[in-house]
Amino acid sequence: MTDQPSLTPATESPRPGYTLPVFACASAIAALKQLRQTQPGVSTHWVSVDLINPKIIVEIPIEQVAVLPDGSALAISRSDPGDNLDLTRHTPVWAQVRWGDRDQSDQIAIAGGEGIGRQQHLGKAAIYRYAQTLISHNLKALLRPSETLQITIILPEGRQLATRTSNAAFGVVDGLSLLGTTGISQPLSAPGQLAEYRSNLRQQAQLADLVFCLGENGLDVALGLGIAPERRVKTANWVGPMLVEAALLEVRSLLLLGYHGKLIKLAGGIFHTHHHVADGRQEILAAHSASLGLPLTSVRTILQNGTVEASLKHLRQLEAETRQSWVAPIYEQLAGAIETRSKAYIQKQGAPAITLGVILFDGDRQPFVLTPTAKALLPRLCYSNQN
């Protein structure tokens, strides 16, 4: 019996699932097995996948598999990220597999089809190292030394789903990424995970001055700013409850460090930042821009843009064309609103007041707005100024 996360409903703790690369790999395995199948009508319902990280073998269900008229085989699995508020839940993951050319450079050639994002600066499919390694490792085990394969991964809903992410802000366009370093999808957004985040915060609260880093990007920017590791508190989407917890733990000061496309929600009073719960980023940015006199045509552009990163680029371009400052006044007002709304949220929950600062960074992970409070707090948070 294989060792794997339970796929049955959880009762006490949030249920883990698997990352997208695992389902892409499972579909490729099923397609290869069907390609070898000489008896018509025989289907593959489950396949075993060695996750490599962690070192376990899991069973993944296969929804459909068939040999196509061109001689290739197509298999379909369906994403299950566990108890995560993940937009890829139940999305179909296709793999089309065909025999390769004897003279191809790699035994297994992996390509991105429809719905797989493209790394804009490199022009390559957004199929990253773990996904490449996972697929190659599992498929090579099923091949003879003389055999080669060509595998195309397809996410039929990927292009549409990508419009609800910040992928474009980080250079991935036209679809989703096969990203990650592990096969297990930990339920960071599930309600049960909040207890673990609070527990971690309690251990760090004794330091009095902390930084809330929104996601991995926030941690990366914090590292670049020289913020001491013991002061970095990673948060998922539970920003509101974590703010209240910090205040109740008598944290003296708190720096909110995040991607502007995520933290902007706080300026609109949205304190659970997952898109499944609430959005309104473009509307919030448009409202603040209009209040500062941004031309109506540009306000409309912001409302129509798919991402706030695109709107930030529009504002920067407008500045260059008109030689009038827009980004600084608009985003300084937004950052101030984030501070004000956050303090009000904490007080509304009956928690004591706390000193709050805000740093916003863009899609290039470059901080471009620091509130006056953030500028005052930053020195005491860095390596050379630890209390």
Side-chain angles (χ1 to χ4, degrees):
M1 188 172 181
T2 56
D3 182 12
Q4 61 180 321
S6 170
L7 294 183
T8 57
T11 54
E12 295 182 358
S13 59
R15 176 180 64 93
Y18 305 114
T19 57
L20 273 181
V22 174
F23 297 97
C25 181
S27 294
I29 292 170
L32 174 58
K33 289 187 173 184
Q34 190 69 18
L35 202 59
R36 289 197 185 282
Q37 186 58 251
T38 56
Q39 300 176 13
V42 177
S43 298
T44 301
H45 298 294
W46 294 81
V47 296
S48 298
V49 179
D50 180 355
L51 298 188
I52 306 175
N53 180 25
K55 294 181 179 180
I56 59 174
I57 296 174
V58 300
E59 299 293 321
I60 303 296
I62 300 299
E63 193 167 283
Q64 295 178 340
V65 60
V67 174
L68 302 180
D70 65 358
S72 65
L74 178 71
I76 302 171
S77 60
R78 200 166 286 270
S79 172
D80 180 0
D83 288 339
N84 248 318
L85 295 175
D86 194 306
L87 60 83
T88 67
R89 179 181 304 281
H90 302 317
T91 195
V93 184
W94 298 8
Q96 185 179 12
V97 175
R98 66 178 74 247
W99 296 116
D101 300 325
R102 289 183 178 274
D103 59 350
Q104 67 184 47
S105 57
D106 296 318
Q107 187 177 19
I108 297 176
I110 305 170
E114 172 61 28
I116 294 292
R118 176 171 49 85
Q119 299 175 61
Q120 197 168 23
H121 300 304
L122 300 175
K124 297 168 54 177
I127 302 176
Y128 293 94
R129 181 177 300 177
Y130 175 70
Q132 295 269 359
T133 301
L134 183 70
I135 294 170
S136 296
H137 171 79
N138 280 274
L139 274 292
K140 280 182 179 179
L142 303 175
L143 292 177
R144 303 182 183 96
S146 60
E147 292 177 329
T148 61
L149 283 182
Q150 294 179 2
I151 301 172
T152 302
I153 306 300
I154 300 166
L155 296 174
E157 300 172 347
R159 190 181 294 263
Q160 177 186 359
L161 291 174
T163 63
R164 297 160 57 190
T165 74
S166 299
N167 281 7
F170 297 102
V172 176
V173 297
D174 300 332
L176 297 176
S177 304
L178 293 187
L179 183 64
T181 58
T182 176
I184 301 298
S185 174
Q186 294 293 348
L188 300 180
S189 301
Q193 195 70 16
L194 178 57
E196 182 176 338
Y197 276 76
R198 281 176 163 157
S199 175
N200 293 338
L201 177 58
R202 291 186 193 107
Q203 295 176 31
Q204 294 173 273
Q206 59 183 331
L207 294 173
D209 304 303
L210 298 174
V211 182
F212 275 8
C213 304
L214 270 70
E216 294 294 334
N217 289 309
L219 289 172
D220 183 61
V221 174
L223 177 64
L225 289 172
I227 294 171
E230 63 271 19
R231 298 187 185 276
R232 305 175 204 153
V233 180
K234 182 181 177 182
T235 68
N237 291 298
W238 304 96
V239 182
M242 291 288 283
L243 284 171
V244 174
E245 188 74 18
L248 291 173
L249 291 169
E250 299 183 349
V251 169
R252 179 173 59 190
S253 67
L254 191 61
L255 184 62
L256 296 178
L257 172 62
Y259 174 55
H260 73 108
K262 180 71 81 168
L263 269 182
I264 195 174
K265 294 184 179 183
L266 275 62
I270 300 169
F271 284 90
H272 188 300
T273 58
H274 200 285
H275 66 272
H276 276 296
V277 177
D279 205 338
R281 291 167 294 178
Q282 284 86 345
E283 291 82 357
I284 295 166
L285 178 56
H288 281 267
S289 299
S291 75
L292 290 172
L294 187 72
L296 183 57
T297 53
S298 288
V299 174
R300 287 173 177 162
T301 298
I302 290 173
L303 287 170
Q304 293 167 0
N305 277 337
T307 67
V308 288
E309 186 70 16
S311 296
L312 175 58
K313 290 178 180 178
H314 172 76
L315 291 173
R316 286 172 170 168
Q317 183 178 354
L318 185 65
E319 283 188 342
E321 293 172 353
T322 64
R323 297 185 180 181
Q324 182 176 354
S325 178
W326 290 111
V327 173
I330 291 171
Y331 273 91
E332 285 170 3
Q333 180 171 296
L334 278 166
I338 292 169
E339 283 188 359
T340 302
R341 297 296 287 265
S342 296
K343 291 176 183 178
Y345 182 91
I346 291 170
Q347 292 174 353
K348 190 179 293 185
Q349 306 302 317
I354 189 171
T355 300
L356 276 172
V358 173
I359 297 180
L360 303 177
F361 58 84
D362 61 18
D364 293 325
R365 296 183 177 87
Q366 296 300 311
F368 69 103
V369 173
L370 289 80
T371 62
T373 305
K375 292 176 183 177
L377 291 177
L378 195 55
R380 73 173 71 157
L381 296 163
C382 295
Y383 288 97
S384 59
N385 294 289
Q386 297 180 40
N387 293 337

